[in-house]
């Protein structure tokens, strides 16, 4: 009497994982590059914010003299002091959290983790939007109205550089997002319905 073996309905079919496509390698490399450049940008924002702390407060006090309502001026001064003090901490924490998460996901994605690919794609989309906002709403942009030519020139130059760098980082993030979603990348990370890669067990 011969025995028969049946494959249960829905049992995944094993198949070998295809070679890693170039788009995945480029996406991971751009991720590391983006984290590094964004870190340098955050450091520049931190340095400029701290360097212009006195000028920003002085500008507020100068504007306050032309205001009729002193209470509004005091509220504005309190807000600006809190903003100038808190923004370096916010930038540091945001960059550390996003940078560490991106590096971890990139490292796991290069080894074939589909969950890491999806998370990295989401992070790239969020980072693209954040880069645009950080480039446009740079902390030292408030110095554009300062009447001191030296601080205004330096502040304006950094503002323009920060905007351009933010747009470049946004373009890099969008590129990473696209590279992770194209068919060759999807095929490398996911074999499709009813299939699994033999090496995944």
């Amino acid at each position: 009497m011969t025995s028969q073996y049946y494959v249960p309905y829905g049992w995944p079919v094993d198949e070998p994982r295809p070679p890693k496509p170039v788009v995945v390698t480029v996406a991971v490399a751009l991720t590391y590059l983006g984290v590094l450049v964004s870190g340098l940008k955050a450091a520049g924002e931190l340095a400029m914010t701290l360097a212009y702390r006195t000028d920003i407060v002085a500008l507020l006090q100068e504007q306050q003299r032309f205001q009729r309502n002193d209470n509004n001026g005091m509220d504005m001064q309190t807000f600006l002091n809190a903003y100038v003090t808190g923004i370096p901490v916010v930038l540091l924490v945001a960059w550390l959290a996003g940078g560490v998460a991106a590096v971890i996901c990139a490292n796991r994605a290069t080894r074939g983790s589909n969950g890491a690919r999806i998370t990295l794609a989401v992070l790239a989309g969020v980072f693209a939007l954040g880069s645009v906002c950080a480039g446009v709403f740079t902390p030292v942009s408030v110095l554009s109205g300062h009447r001191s030519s030296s601080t205004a020139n330096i502040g304006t130059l950094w503002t323009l550089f920060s905007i351009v760098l933010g747009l470049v980082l946004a373009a890099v993030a969008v590129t990473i997002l696209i590279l992770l979603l194209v068919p060759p990348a999807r095929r490398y990370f996911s074999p499709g319905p009813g299939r699994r890669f033999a090496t995944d067990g």
Side-chain angles (χ1 to χ4, degrees):
M1 185 176 190
T2 60
S3 60
Q4 295 179 345
Y5 296 92
Y6 297 95
V7 177
Y9 177 75
W11 192 267
V13 178
D14 291 340
E15 63 179 62
R17 183 186 295 273
K20 184 189 303 181
V22 177
V23 291
V24 174
T25 303
V26 173
V28 170
L30 288 178
T31 299
Y32 294 140
L33 178 63
V35 170
L36 176 61
V37 175
S38 64
L40 295 176
K41 182 178 183 294
E45 294 286 359
L46 173 60
M48 292 296 291
T49 301
L50 296 179
Y52 281 102
R53 180 196 300 266
T54 303
D55 297 276
I56 295 174
V57 175
L59 174 61
L60 175 63
Q61 292 174 345
E62 180 180 350
Q63 293 176 343
Q64 185 179 357
R65 290 199 297 267
F66 296 96
Q67 295 178 353
R68 296 180 179 179
N69 192 334
D70 292 336
N71 291 332
N72 289 340
M74 185 58 65
D75 292 340
M76 192 184 241
Q77 182 177 7
T78 302
F79 168 77
L80 185 57
N81 284 330
Y83 173 79
V84 173
T85 302
I87 197 64
V89 178
V90 173
L91 286 173
L92 180 61
V93 172
W95 178 78
L96 283 177
V100 170
V103 169
I104 292 176
C105 289
N107 181 264
R108 291 182 59 84
T110 194
R111 292 181 290 178
S113 172
N114 192 40
R117 174 187 75 104
I118 296 173
T119 305
L120 185 59
V122 172
L123 288 174
V126 172
F127 190 79
L129 179 61
S131 296
V132 173
C133 294
V136 174
F137 300 103
T138 176
V140 297
S141 61
V142 70
L143 291 175
S144 59
H146 202 287
R147 291 189 294 181
S148 172
S149 59
S150 60
T151 56
N153 290 337
I154 297 175
T156 302
L157 288 175
W158 172 258
T159 300
L160 294 175
F161 175 75
S162 181
I163 292 174
V164 173
L165 190 57
L167 294 176
V168 171
L169 287 172
V172 170
V174 171
T175 302
I176 294 171
L177 176 62
I178 294 174
L179 291 177
L180 292 175
L181 296 180
V182 295
R186 293 202 308 266
R187 180 67 182 84
Y188 172 72
F189 287 102
S190 178
R195 297 179 176 86
R196 67 178 180 183
F197 294 126
T199 54
D200 294 342

